[in-house]
Amino acid sequence: MAEQTVPLIVDVDTGIDDSLALLYLMASPEAELLGITCTAGNVTARQVATNNLAWLELCGYADVEVALGAEVPIIAPLMTTEETHGPQGIGYAELPAPTRALSSRHATQVWIDNARRRPGEITGLVTGPLTNLALAVKLEPELPRLLKRIVVMGGAFNHPGNTNPTTEWNVAVDPDAARIVFDAFSGLPEGRRPVICALDVTERIEMRPHHIAALAEACGSTPAEIIDPDDPPGRRSQASNRVVRHLSDAVRFYMEFHRLYDQGFLAHMHDPFAAAVALDPALATTRRATVDVELAGTLTRGQTVADWRGMWGREPNADIVVDTDPEEFFRRAIERVAALARRVG
Ligand code: RIB
Ligand code: CA
């Protein structure tokens, strides 16, 4: 029986792991990409848009709408992180410049128009700051009920932050947007609450050089794709396969960054894991909680707080991912992206 398609709107701040999420989705036959919306975060929104157009065109998905969204957070001043994702946000990768233009629609309109056109069917995936979704909810308060569900990469609960001691990047960039989204998506029934992929789990999914080597081998790329920790920084891939070459150049930058911060020569799969969960929620074990965002803390503004035991007397408004099988994620990712890479050549 054909797999049921999953209609998706994907909001990203492409970035290296956002790129991997896009590759995973393009490689997944069940993913029906209705639109990719761009928010500022890892790099500027316009650079995010260029990266999205380039990845989609490289992989033969140039028919998918890419729309520009918020270029600054709702209240906070914009912060970007080129030191983490590279000057263009895709590490050392140098993608062929895209040849098509951005959508004439704003990102918020892509969210609202699609959700109104297909009520109850669309999964929203957000792997960047929540600015666009917050703005869309302000324009269309019914959006939480028009969407089937949202899956969000963001937050850190019983886990250290990666931006400040208690804050995760996507929420730290725009904590006010996160508060708006968690408030707006409260009151939804079991099975439709937002699924939150926080650092607690995503930092357990560690891509290492052998994963890239396996992907390259699986799609017949030559020579063997070895990212050696002892290579000089910035060494470029010579892979015969274009997807492998650009993916390897992107991920190498991320691995060098993680090593610089004593996390090992690895790359955390934050966004592609959220994408995999959006396609198959069974990949994640979740636990319901009431989530809110600290906005006033001097040291903790942007911290996501989970009330697991109903101490606030408020209904749960999130299903937080508390466990997964990283090896199953990598099995799916390597199998799918290798097949995409083989098609692209
Ligand atoms: O904290 C990790 C998240 O922040 C990921 O989505 C990464 O791409 C950055 O946006
Ligand atoms: Ca991201």
Side-chain angles (χ1 to χ4, degrees):
M1 185 172 75
E3 279 189 272
Q4 191 174 2
T5 58
V6 180
L8 288 160
I9 301 170
V10 186
D11 194 282
V12 290
D13 64 334
T14 307
I16 294 169
D17 57 331
D18 305 76
S19 301
L20 292 166
L22 291 175
L23 288 171
Y24 187 94
L25 294 172
M26 289 187 282
S28 298
E30 71 271 33
E32 183 187 0
L33 294 175
L34 299 176
I36 309 295
T37 55
C38 314
T39 183
N42 289 323
V43 288
T44 65
R46 291 186 181 279
Q47 183 63 59
V48 166
T50 298
N51 295 341
N52 292 338
L53 288 168
W55 279 118
L56 287 166
E57 193 160 324
L58 173 77
C59 297
Y61 284 77
D63 59 336
V64 176
E65 181 179 13
V66 178
L68 186 66
E71 300 199 55
V72 291
I74 286 180
I75 297 175
L78 175 61
M79 67 174 173
T80 56
T81 181
E82 287 77 4
E83 66 277 10
T84 307
H85 291 265
Q88 277 80 38
I90 47 176
Y92 297 118
E94 295 172 63
L95 294 172
T99 60
R100 73 175 167 127
L102 278 171
S103 169
S104 57
R105 290 197 289 188
H106 186 274
T108 52
Q109 221 45 58
V110 171
W111 279 87
I112 294 167
D113 293 350
N114 277 293
R116 284 174 176 162
R117 188 167 52 88
R118 295 177 62 173
E121 294 182 36
I122 297 170
T123 296
L125 169 64
V126 183
T127 66
L130 288 152
T131 315
N132 286 333
L133 185 52
L135 293 172
V137 157
K138 287 295 182 192
L139 290 170
E140 174 48 275
E142 277 310 297
L143 192 58
R145 283 156 292 283
L146 288 171
L147 292 168
K148 179 181 180 182
R149 196 163 201 184
I150 61 169
V151 175
V152 175
M153 191 282 135
F157 295 99
N158 305 325
H159 192 88
N162 63 359
T163 305
N164 289 302
T166 63
T167 62
E168 175 279 327
W169 173 261
N170 289 335
V171 176
V173 167
D174 197 342
D176 305 283
R179 160 71 72 84
I180 289 167
V181 169
F182 282 115
D183 280 354
F185 283 77
S186 296
L188 295 173
E190 184 89 24
R192 297 195 60 182
R193 288 190 290 256
V195 178
I196 310 300
C197 304
L199 296 182
D200 306 55
V201 173
T202 64
E203 287 196 344
R204 287 176 37 206
I205 308 172
E206 302 174 335
M207 176 176 273
R208 295 186 183 268
H210 70 80
H211 291 114
I212 294 291
L215 193 158
E217 183 180 5
C219 72
S221 184
T222 55
E225 188 63 18
I226 308 299
I227 300 180
D228 188 329
D230 297 327
D231 284 340
R235 180 169 190 169
R236 294 302 194 274
S237 168
Q238 301 302 311
S240 60
N241 182 281
R242 290 178 292 159
V243 172
V244 171
R245 190 161 65 247
H246 295 308
L247 172 56
S248 182
D249 286 345
V251 166
R252 178 190 287 273
F253 189 99
Y254 217 22
M255 290 181 172
E256 290 173 0
F257 171 82
H258 284 79
R259 177 172 59 185
L260 203 59
Y261 287 84
D262 301 325
Q263 294 182 291
F265 193 70
L266 54 87
H268 289 140
M269 294 291 103
H270 309 292
D271 297 345
F273 173 70
V277 171
L279 292 182
D280 179 11
L283 199 58
T285 302
T286 62
R287 189 175 156 207
R288 70 182 191 181
T290 306
V291 172
D292 206 335
V293 185
E294 175 57 57
L295 296 180
T298 308
L299 302 173
T300 57
R301 174 168 156 81
Q303 180 175 351
T304 50
V305 182
D307 175 8
W308 302 99
R309 298 165 53 190
M311 295 176 174
W312 293 335
R314 292 159 52 184
E315 282 301 306
N317 63 350
D319 290 326
I320 299 173
V321 176
V322 293
D323 199 8
T324 190
D325 174 0
E327 286 318 305
E328 174 56 19
F329 163 78
F330 282 114
R331 188 194 64 74
R332 295 186 192 189
I334 290 169
E335 180 181 69
R336 291 168 183 235
V337 177
L340 172 69
R342 191 179 286 276
R343 290 196 297 273
V344 172

